[in-house]
């Protein structure tokens, strides 16, 4: 089993930056894909970015050029650097780890970008 814990959320003015962290229990090298999702009030959960064990990355169009996903295998941590935040980025952000057929979710961290 894998446990993931998100941190780094908070309140920031529009145009500002935040870096979210996703700390995984155990080695993340055994995890196939780690992804970041978000869910805004009244909306469905949205996939934002993903990084594979080999370091390949993918982003949804709405965050390309603003968000960067990266991993530090030595720290068993994946990051989401978020720049140029907009009020519409306000949501709870979740980290999820996919290993084999199982997907593990964190508890989420709130990000609020004020206008």
């Amino acid at each position: 089993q894998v446990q993931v814990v998100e941190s780094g959320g908070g309140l920031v003015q529009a145009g500002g930056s935040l870096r979210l962290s996703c700390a995984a229990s155990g080695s993340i090298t055994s995890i196939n894909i780690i992804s970041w999702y978000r869910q805004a009030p009244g909306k469905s959960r949205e996939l934002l970015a993903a990084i594979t064990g080999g370091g390949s990355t993918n982003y949804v169009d709405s965050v390309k050029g603003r968000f960067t996903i990266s991993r530090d295998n030595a720290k068993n941590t994946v990051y989401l650097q978020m720049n140029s935040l907009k009020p519409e980025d306000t949501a709870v952000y979740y980290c999820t780890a996919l290993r084999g057929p199982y997907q593990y979710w964190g508890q989420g961290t709130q990000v609020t970008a004020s206008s």
Side-chain angles (χ1 to χ4, degrees):
Q1 189 164 352
V2 177
Q3 289 185 323
V4 292
V5 178
E6 305 95 334
S7 62
L11 174 64
V12 65
Q13 286 191 329
S17 298
L18 282 174
R19 188 177 79 160
L20 305 183
S21 298
C22 171
S25 60
S27 172
I28 63 173
T29 57
S30 67
I31 297 173
N32 302 108
I33 299 173
I34 295 180
S35 306
W36 283 98
Y37 286 73
R38 69 184 176 193
Q39 188 166 20
K43 295 188 177 182
S44 57
R45 198 166 289 189
E46 175 189 22
L47 173 63
L48 301 176
I51 187 165
T52 68
S56 297
T57 59
N58 274 294
Y59 300 90
V60 67
D61 285 345
S62 60
V63 305
K64 277 182 183 176
R66 298 191 300 126
F67 291 10
T68 303
I69 189 170
S70 62
R71 60 193 293 154
D72 184 336
N73 290 341
K75 295 183 178 180
N76 295 326
T77 301
V78 169
Y79 302 99
L80 186 68
Q81 177 67 43
M82 306 187 296
N83 299 327
S84 303
L85 283 163
K86 305 174 183 180
E88 51 264 43
D89 293 318
T90 295
V92 178
Y93 284 68
Y94 296 91
C95 173
T96 178
L98 178 67
R99 185 168 71 184
Y102 303 106
Q103 190 167 18
Y104 304 92
W105 291 85
Q107 82 290 348
T109 185
Q110 176 70 45
V111 170
T112 302
S114 63
S115 56

